Amino acid sequence: MIAFRNIHKSFGDKVVLAGIDLEIRDREITFIIGASGTGKSVLMKTAVGLLAPDAGRVIVDAEDVTDFSEARWQHIRIRHALVFQHPNLFDSMTLRENVALPLRKHRRISRKAALVAALGYLAMVGMEDKADLMPDEVGPSQRKRVSIARALTLDPTTAILDEPTTGLDVVASRTIDDLIVRLSRELAKTVIVVSHDLRSIFGVADRIIFLYKGHVHLDGPPAAFRASGDPVVRQFIGGEPDGPMET
């Protein structure tokens, strides 16, 4: 479980988070949504210690982790893995070698054993047949799937995916959506997705948290968003340029 207690964060004069209070429930697919610059990724980075809040507390697995040292944060990041929007694979390594790297570094197993194990993780994301290709030999959605496989090597309880379908076509996005569902339903992971992709949001989310002006504007299942008469929510869902929503 990850909980945020009155989280505030500013960058200079720009207030991004202005008192966020919420809990992420275990084994759900939770989408954090909102317009660009509303603090979606910032909030997730505070959850794994990549950014420190200006005020408020971060609770992970019933423990206040806000003031953890970098060494202690490393253990949190293993259990609650953040997969960045850009896959950040090593260009000089094959896909299998990229996935094997955390196994060698953190589990201290041999290169040979790590490469064997890596193939199994690639199979989880449907990429085992491309294991020995280089990152530039596969498409964007496939690289993202490999980055998710790499995150799974240390058996995290939570997968935090930052804009996993951004820049992908409809077919590639659907592949990522299917993987998100598998992570939750088959692998029993808590999945948090930062996104503004409405098709993905309404296609796979159990819960949607809409950030606006530094606060949680609406929190509920997809049906609650579709039924909402709130003009800000309606403008966001409809993608209309005119309305009360400030961008």
Side-chain angles (χ1 to χ4, degrees):
M1 182 272 290
I2 300 173
F4 304 94
R5 306 294 188 216
N6 195 31
I7 297 295
H8 292 254
K9 185 66 181 180
S10 298
F11 296 95
D13 295 332
K14 180 175 176 57
V15 177
V16 179
L17 304 175
I20 296 292
D21 280 292
L22 65 90
E23 292 185 2
I24 304 296
R25 295 187 288 267
D26 291 341
R27 299 189 179 184
E28 283 190 342
I29 300 172
T30 301
F31 272 67
I32 311 292
I33 72 170
S36 297
T38 53
K40 305 182 297 294
S41 296
V42 169
L43 184 64
M44 290 301 99
K45 288 178 180 178
T46 68
V48 294
L50 296 179
L51 286 174
D54 298 331
R57 313 304 295 177
V58 179
I59 312 298
V60 179
D61 299 332
E63 183 175 22
D64 188 332
V65 301
T66 315
D67 301 318
F68 269 17
S69 66
E70 179 62 19
R72 296 185 74 187
W73 271 116
Q74 290 294 339
H75 295 288
I76 298 297
R77 293 172 194 148
I78 289 173
R79 300 200 309 269
H80 304 277
L82 173 59
V83 180
F84 293 97
Q85 177 178 345
H86 302 290
N88 295 323
L89 300 177
F90 291 99
D91 293 337
S92 59
M93 295 181 175
T94 66
L95 302 180
R96 188 202 301 237
E97 289 169 336
N98 268 279
V99 174
L101 188 60
L103 293 168
R104 297 177 63 193
K105 179 180 179 181
H106 294 285
R107 293 189 179 174
R108 306 293 183 183
I109 64 176
S110 71
R111 182 177 186 275
K112 181 177 180 180
L115 289 172
V116 171
L119 192 60
Y121 288 101
L122 286 167
M124 290 182 183
V125 299
M127 289 293 293
E128 69 274 21
D129 60 331
K130 294 179 172 58
D132 296 316
L133 296 180
M134 304 301 285
D136 64 359
E137 295 180 295
V138 299
S141 72
Q142 293 172 321
R143 289 194 293 272
K144 289 189 179 185
R145 286 153 62 189
V146 172
S147 69
I148 293 171
R150 184 173 59 184
L152 293 177
T153 57
L154 301 179
D155 194 26
T157 60
T158 304
I160 305 170
L161 311 181
D162 190 2
E163 300 283 4
T165 61
T166 295
L168 303 183
D169 60 38
V170 173
V171 175
S173 295
R174 179 60 184 270
T175 300
I176 298 296
D177 289 345
D178 289 345
L179 177 56
I180 289 170
V181 173
R182 285 193 59 227
L183 289 175
S184 175
R185 308 296 187 252
E186 296 179 23
L187 301 180
K189 305 293 183 186
T190 301
V191 185
I192 306 169
V193 185
V194 172
S195 182
H196 59 266
D197 184 340
L198 290 173
R199 190 197 53 77
S200 292
I201 291 164
F202 288 113
V204 303
D206 296 318
R207 177 190 182 193
I208 304 171
I209 297 167
F210 178 36
L211 300 186
Y212 180 60
K213 290 188 174 181
H215 299 278
V216 176
H217 192 77
L218 187 59
D219 178 356
F225 279 75
R226 290 194 177 96
S228 176
D230 184 296
V232 171
V233 175
R234 299 313 307 168
Q235 183 184 354
F236 182 82
I237 291 175
E240 300 297 332
D242 299 317
M245 192 172 181
E246 298 177 10
T247 60

